[in-house]
Amino acid sequence: SDEAIDISNYIDDFEIISLETNANTVLGLVTQIAKFGDYLVVLDRQSLRVLAFDLQGKFSHTIGNKGKGPGEYINPIGFAITPDNSQIAVYVMQNRSLLYYSPQGEFMEGHKVRTKGFKIAFINDTLIGLHAGRMGINGRSEAYFDLWIANKKGDIIDSLFNYKEALNTERGSNFMPSFEDGSILYTRMADYNIYKLSSDKVDTLYRFDFGAANLDTAFYLRADNFDKVWTLKDKVLGSGAVTNTKTDLL
């Protein structure tokens, strides 16, 4: 729609927090930031570190440390904060593991995960969603899925959105908090439906209809091209809401 939106209808106030910059806190490629208790946690994919700042922006400590020892990581790819705000889970790519830390950055426990993940999020106190994506192999061809559901110890509970061919990009797929019931929203590259993940089901809340040319036209909705959707209306055949696409999640 071309109708103007008054952002004050949705946001009461905002604050700009400048993060401290010194020799130990130079940020190069920030891919994730979230409030964790009394801290702002930042994942820097250039320095491959997870850093914690206080709510005024002053650097406090790192979450874990780089290395190959217990509780250390080489390539942190994403993190998720437990719903009770007591721990942060860092997903480590090189050994497919979930490492749990306290708000002060102390290592608590670690678990292996059978699949890879590019982004993770807690669905509830015990379930984690891992967006595996299409840039690599999870095993045999029948084991290719965009989304995996695991428990806190990394055991796979379920898998959704089977696919046959890999894509050459992962831009656009994401998790974000959703509703007061603790559910989360999830988008994926190939169809760009907006899904609601909850403890017992996955609902499709909104669907962009690309017709038979789904994979060929999905790139119009990549993160760097999203503004082009509204100028390329002929590529989007329609949209709509449906529910209960999968009600037997567990």
Side-chain angles (χ1 to χ4, degrees), residues 17 19 33-36 38-42 51-55 57:
I17 300 175
L19 300 180
I33 184 168
K35 185 176 182 294
F36 181 27
D38 295 327
Y39 302 104
L40 294 174
V41 178
V42 176
L51 302 94
F53 299 80
D54 67 22
L55 299 184

Side-chain angles (χ1 to χ4, degrees), residues 44-64:
D44 181 20
R45 292 282 292 129
Q46 182 165 310
S47 65
L48 299 177
R49 294 188 301 164
V50 184
L51 302 94
F53 299 80
D54 67 22
L55 299 184
Q56 287 70 50
K58 183 177 177 58
F59 174 69
S60 176
H61 57 272
T62 59
I63 303 293

